[in-house]
Amino acid sequence: MNSAVDKAPAARAGRPGGMQDLTTGPIGKTLIVFALPVLGSNILQSLNGSANAIWVSHVLGEAALTATVNANNIFFLMLGAVFGMTMAANLLISQSVGAKDVATVKRVVGSASSFFLVLSLSVGVAGYLLTPTILRLMQTPPDATRDAITYLRVIFAAMPFMYFFSFVMMAQRGAGDSKTPFWFSVAAVGLDVILNPLLITGFGPFPRLGIAGSATATLISQTLTLAAMIVYLYRTDSVLILKRGDWKLFRPELAIIRTLVVKGFPMALQMLVISGAAVMMIRFVNAYGSATAAGYGAAIQLWTYIQMPAMALGAAVSSMAAQNVGAGKMDRVGQVARQGVLIAAFMTGIPVALIYLVEPWVLMAFLPPGSPSTAIAMHINAFALWGFIPFGMAFVLNGIIRATGAVWPPLLGLLISMWLVRIPFAHFLEPVLGQDAVWWSFPLGSIMSLVLAAGYYRWGGWRKARLMEGIPVGAAPDTGMSPPAVAEETEALDDAARHAVPAKTPAE
């Protein structure tokens, strides 16, 4: 009887309100099915950036491309800063969905929506006004400054829509749905790619906007797709939508806002740690001349795509683990970790092996035929490429650890592996090993990341961490038994939870 009762609410949880239950069913298949749309979204965004760069460089010239590169550095920094907070919202929603606590899901959506609205408007207005100062501090080349100001100001105007678009996508993944965000990403990227040349060149009835056209294409595509996504969520009666009776939930709750900031800040810092380490490594590489720098640049292009499966899988395990934490199924969290690590090794190892087999031909996409940089890129990859396998495994374990709210240990592990292992190794052993010290530092940093993540996963206190008071954290083993309640009672409680607002909980 208990088994039948257990299946009834779980079966319904995947249908109403757009929630997908990640606390039951086969783990490996669910992880892969959830991760693939996330991977597709990441690839689309990379291809979109490449397409935009091609149009700008071929139509407007090198100075315009330099302008977009400088402006995009600021743009990605701004998106990186908000990533941590959208991830914190994702985890809050995931744990609440796992606990079948629809009321808390709506509270999180209400407070987070107000928070991101104020944050994005503040960033957009401040960035628009400070654009010339920002570019001057970046020492943007004089011939690119005017175009960069034009481009970046349009991007800052689009920032509120981009921030909210990112939040809504992460919220849907937190609810267990990665397919819907993928299809809207397809729409956004497709619209951006179509509008880019039309607005740059002024083809047909479209105005000729030059470099502003590239940024305007992003603004229009993000705005229209965001509006379409919200309409879709309303029409499907998504749990993420607040209707008239729920509008009072837009009043921010201190506990939720504090969680978004306190838990999101370390995850945002990871972007800065990675970016800073990348700048330091480029300084080492540049010292060996333009041929080596070009080879390194081509290798990085391959690394970008190699990392994507692990990053998508990391997002999948975070959402799945957080739902199971909320459901109190900590033994299932352990199974997600074990299978996730194996899948990450496989999903990263296969493309690594394929690239080693066809490397000279793949590099031709980034380097001209006969370039001496091709041999240099292959030499770099011989040392560094395989290191992304332990990187992917560490990424998955850190995703599991963050699912309970333990967000500082992954950041500290990243600091140690990159700033206390990778950079010092490259610096101090360079006189002995030459360039190879730089290339060896990449897999050694990845191995250290895996050792630290595995050690903390095994012996750390992440299982006792809390994301926010009021959301249950699984301490009891999953027995597969549900509380003795009939299906009608469970359905009535779920329906009541949709319209009830529980008392606010204190901050952690």
Side-chain angles (χ1 to χ4, degrees):
M1 179 176 178
N2 281 342
S3 176
V5 172
D6 183 59
K7 291 178 182 178
R12 286 193 301 272
R15 295 194 297 268
M19 293 194 300
Q20 303 295 321
D21 190 358
L22 304 179
T23 65
T24 59
I27 292 173
K29 178 182 177 182
T30 303
L31 274 177
I32 294 173
V33 169
F34 191 96
L36 286 178
V38 181
L39 174 60
S41 297
N42 293 343
I43 293 174
L44 283 172
Q45 293 299 328
S46 295
L47 293 176
N48 185 36
S50 300
N52 290 352
I54 290 171
W55 277 111
V56 169
S57 63
H58 282 72
V59 176
L60 302 176
E62 293 181 355
L65 180 61
T66 302
T68 62
V69 169
N70 278 266
N72 282 334
N73 282 331
I74 302 299
F75 168 52
F76 291 127
L77 181 63
M78 293 296 99
L79 287 183
V82 79
F83 164 78
M85 286 171 277
T86 58
M87 189 65 195
N90 169 285
L91 295 176
L92 280 172
I93 291 170
S94 292
Q95 287 192 7
S96 301
V97 168
K100 306 295 189 292
D101 188 352
V102 178
T104 299
V105 172
K106 290 186 175 293
R107 286 169 49 211
V108 172
V109 169
S111 290
S113 296
S114 300
F115 174 77
F116 282 111
L117 178 62
V118 173
L119 177 65
S120 62
L121 288 174
S122 301
V123 170
V125 172
Y128 186 91
L129 297 175
L130 296 174
T131 289
T133 303
I134 294 170
L135 293 172
R136 186 167 58 251
L137 292 174
M138 291 180 61
Q139 297 182 336
T140 303
D143 62 338
T145 298
R146 183 177 177 181
D147 280 345
I149 290 174
T150 301
Y151 181 87
L152 189 56
R153 278 185 162 165
V154 178
I155 288 295
F156 273 119
M159 199 66 73
F161 305 100
M162 293 179 176
Y163 272 21
F164 210 75
F165 187 83
S166 176
F167 161 63
V168 174
M169 290 184 68
M170 293 294 280
Q172 289 179 83
R173 291 171 184 167
D177 179 12
S178 63
K179 293 180 181 178
T180 300
F182 168 72
W183 289 116
F184 280 103
S185 290
V186 171
V189 170
L191 192 57
D192 198 341
V193 170
I194 293 170
L195 289 175
N196 227 285
L198 299 178
L199 293 174
I200 290 175
T201 62
F203 181 82
F206 293 91
R208 182 180 176 87
L209 299 179
I211 194 168
S214 180
T216 303
T218 300
L219 169 61
I220 294 173
S221 64
Q222 293 277 322
T223 304
L224 292 181
T225 309
L226 174 62
M229 191 188 314
I230 292 175
V231 169
Y232 172 82
L233 293 176
Y234 265 107
R235 290 178 65 88
T236 56
D237 195 28
S238 170
V239 69
L240 302 176
I241 289 297
L242 302 184
K243 298 183 179 179
R244 187 180 296 273
D246 301 316
W247 284 358
K248 57 187 174 182
L249 298 180
F250 284 119
R251 185 183 304 131
E253 290 188 33
L254 180 60
I256 294 174
I257 301 302
R258 183 175 182 271
T259 299
L260 294 178
V261 175
V262 172
K263 298 298 184 180
F265 180 68
M267 290 186 278
L269 277 182
Q270 291 185 36
M271 307 295 289
L272 298 178
V273 169
I274 293 171
S275 299
V279 170
M280 290 297 296
M281 298 309 294
I282 288 175
R283 291 184 60 187
F284 287 127
V285 173
N286 286 341
Y288 291 100
S290 58
T292 299
Y296 179 70
I300 285 179
Q301 292 293 327
L302 298 181
W303 299 354
T304 299
Y305 291 95
I306 289 294
Q307 294 175 78
M308 284 184 179
M311 296 176 72
L313 194 62
V317 298
S318 287
S319 295
M320 180 178 261
Q323 279 202 21
N324 282 280
V325 167
K329 299 184 175 183
M330 290 303 288
D331 63 336
R332 185 172 166 88
V333 172
Q335 295 174 36
V336 171
R338 288 188 292 273
Q339 295 195 36
V341 166
L342 293 176
I343 295 171
F346 177 79
M347 290 180 68
T348 308
I350 292 298
V352 165
L354 290 175
I355 286 178
Y356 277 136
L357 289 174
V358 298
E359 193 171 12
W361 296 275
V362 174
L363 289 171
M364 287 176 62
F366 308 105
L367 295 169
S371 171
S373 298
T374 300
I376 295 173
M378 293 178 66
H379 180 75
I380 294 171
N381 282 334
F383 289 88
L385 196 60
W386 62 269
F388 287 100
I389 298 174
F391 162 84
M393 299 164 72
F395 204 86
V396 166
L397 288 176
N398 283 327
I400 297 289
I401 291 167
R402 280 192 295 264
T404 60
V407 293
W408 283 102
L411 173 62
L412 294 175
L414 198 63
L415 280 168
I416 293 170
S417 63
M418 289 196 168
W419 286 89
L420 298 183
V421 174
R422 177 176 292 175
I423 293 174
F425 184 92
H427 176 71
F428 290 112
L429 290 184
E430 197 174 20
V432 178
L433 300 176
Q435 296 181 31
D436 289 350
V438 179
W439 320 139
W440 268 119
S441 71
F442 285 96
L444 290 179
S446 296
I447 291 171
M448 178 56 69
S449 292
L450 177 58
V451 169
L452 293 173
Y456 189 78
Y457 173 83
R458 176 64 179 83
W459 293 291
W462 63 275
R463 294 170 181 83
K464 298 179 181 179
R466 282 189 176 273
L467 193 59
M468 188 183 79
E469 294 297 331
I471 299 179
V473 174
D478 172 24
T479 62
M481 309 289 283
S482 79
V486 296
E488 290 79 3
E489 289 175 333
T490 305
E491 191 172 71
L493 289 171
D494 286 346
D495 185 64
R498 289 178 182 271
H499 305 286
V501 183
K504 296 181 181 180
T505 56
E508 63 177 21

